Amino acid sequence: MRYLSREGRSNLVQYGLRRHFYTDVYHSWLRAPWLVALGAVTLLYLAVNCLFAAAYLLVGGVENLGPRSYADAFFFSVQTIATIGYGHMVPVSHAANALVTLESLIGLIGVAMATGLMFAKFARPTARILWSDVAVVGPFEGVPSLMLRVANQRGNQVVEAQIRITLLISEETSEGIAIRRNIDLHLRRSVSTVFALSWTVVHPLTPDSPLVTHTREQLIGGRAELLASLTGLDDAFNQTIRSRHSWAMEEIIWSARFVDIMGTLPDGRQGVDYRRFHDVLPLEGRDPGPPP
């Protein structure tokens, strides 16, 4: 089992912690997909109107409201909470007016909260970063190197982009304590002044590289994974964006290189072919796999 998902999130099951529903509602709201968020707002809106419809039928006092018409009560509640007020059904008793007052207050608070939550979710900066499905190990300027690709799918500019790659591996300390060790990998270039198109990230396999100091059996036995993290400043929002991705050991192709995606168009301009972004080519005459 992988410790991390492809997006760099933990797959570990957490238990033994006391969690409360109201502790991280706002955090969960921001991270929830739009379909889930809109569905939650819709269900809450319907639930509130259903409860007030039952209350109106219970207390009565609404003119032109059928004594057993739950549908009329529901639509009267919708008109009240939305401050529509068509005028066909109106409260005439103190109990009904008290319910209208309470529902109007809940409607005002609900609209204000829903507006703020929707705006916060809509305005939250996101990164549309494309990571290569695999990483490759092959020569780069005469030095065996680990390489991966990353691209900006949005077409804007990410300024002062920084990338880090970490090797995560399970090991034991000299005292016999099992730990998940994080080892930062040195990169040829970890900062890009302007990240707009594609970026090939290169880690040279020098003698002190953990991919060299660890054998194949140690990497596989320790469930080693690569975790990449990219941060930068979106020039449109002027806010920091982040993206992560991880690769398991079986997603690292040894003795291979990425297919070239830069080329010249018929009109002489330079272009990038993202259709072959994930394609790799094996290096002929080389034994695939990390050094034993």
Side-chain angles (χ1 to χ4, degrees):
M1 183 194 71
R2 296 181 56 162
Y3 283 88
L4 299 174
S5 66
R6 294 294 296 272
E7 294 76 23
R9 297 187 178 93
S10 175
N11 282 329
L12 296 180
V13 178
Q14 300 180 13
Y15 53 92
L17 296 176
R18 298 183 63 183
R19 299 183 181 274
H20 301 281
F21 175 76
Y22 297 101
T23 304
D24 292 320
V25 173
Y26 183 69
H27 182 266
S28 301
W29 168 268
L30 292 179
R31 295 181 62 89
W34 270 104
L35 186 61
V36 174
L38 293 175
V41 172
T42 302
L43 289 176
L44 182 61
Y45 177 78
L46 294 176
V48 170
N49 282 289
C50 287
L51 290 175
F52 273 98
Y56 286 123
L57 286 178
L58 180 64
V59 303
V62 178
E63 188 176 0
N64 297 322
L65 177 63
R68 296 182 179 276
S69 179
Y70 187 84
D72 286 350
F74 177 83
F75 293 127
F76 175 72
S77 174
V78 170
Q79 295 172 24
T80 301
I81 201 170
T83 65
I84 297 175
Y86 289 122
H88 177 66
M89 291 180 289
V90 293
V92 294
S93 68
H94 291 298
N97 277 292
L99 275 179
V100 167
T101 302
L102 177 61
E103 186 174 11
S104 299
L105 177 62
I106 292 177
L108 290 174
I109 296 175
V111 169
M113 291 185 62
T115 302
L117 290 172
M118 286 293 184
F119 178 78
K121 189 171 182 62
F122 183 80
R124 179 171 174 250
T126 57
R128 292 193 60 194
I129 302 299
L130 178 65
W131 299 90
S132 57
D133 290 338
V134 298
V136 300
V137 175
F140 184 86
E141 294 187 352
V143 179
S145 303
L146 170 75
M147 292 170 283
L148 57 92
R149 271 179 178 167
V150 58
N152 182 10
Q153 296 186 85
R154 185 156 280 152
N156 64 335
Q157 292 186 349
V158 179
V159 297
E160 300 300 329
Q162 301 183 35
I163 193 167
R164 294 180 60 186
I165 301 181
T166 304
L167 176 70
L168 286 75
I169 185 171
S170 297
E171 295 181 333
E172 285 190 359
T173 65
S174 56
E175 295 79 14
I177 302 174
I179 61 172
R180 188 69 173 168
R181 195 182 298 277
N182 299 346
I183 307 175
D184 290 333
L185 303 186
H186 169 71
L187 304 179
R188 282 184 175 267
R189 182 168 61 93
S190 60
V191 178
S192 178
T193 305
V194 177
F195 174 43
L197 298 175
S198 178
W199 183 0
T200 299
V201 184
V202 180
H203 163 64
L205 298 185
T206 55
D208 59 346
S209 170
L211 295 177
V212 175
T213 58
H214 291 72
T215 65
R216 182 185 313 179
E217 289 74 18
Q218 289 175 326
L219 293 173
I220 297 176
R223 294 182 179 178
E225 296 173 287
L226 291 176
L227 175 63
S229 173
L230 184 144
T231 60
L233 190 65
D234 190 307
D235 66 341
F237 294 99
N238 198 30
Q239 294 185 4
T240 302
I241 59 174
R242 299 174 179 85
S243 179
R244 291 176 298 176
H245 196 85
S246 70
W247 297 265
M249 281 296 101
E250 59 268 18
E251 294 169 332
I252 300 177
I253 302 178
W254 295 75
S255 300
R257 68 176 181 87
F258 284 112
V259 172
D260 295 332
I261 59 175
M262 296 287 295
T264 303
L265 301 176
D267 59 2
R269 294 180 300 167
Q270 293 293 311
V272 181
D273 185 3
Y274 290 105
R275 295 172 299 180
R276 309 195 67 187
F277 184 80
H278 305 284
D279 295 348
V280 299
L281 290 175
L283 300 179
E284 297 181 0
R286 295 179 179 267
D287 180 29

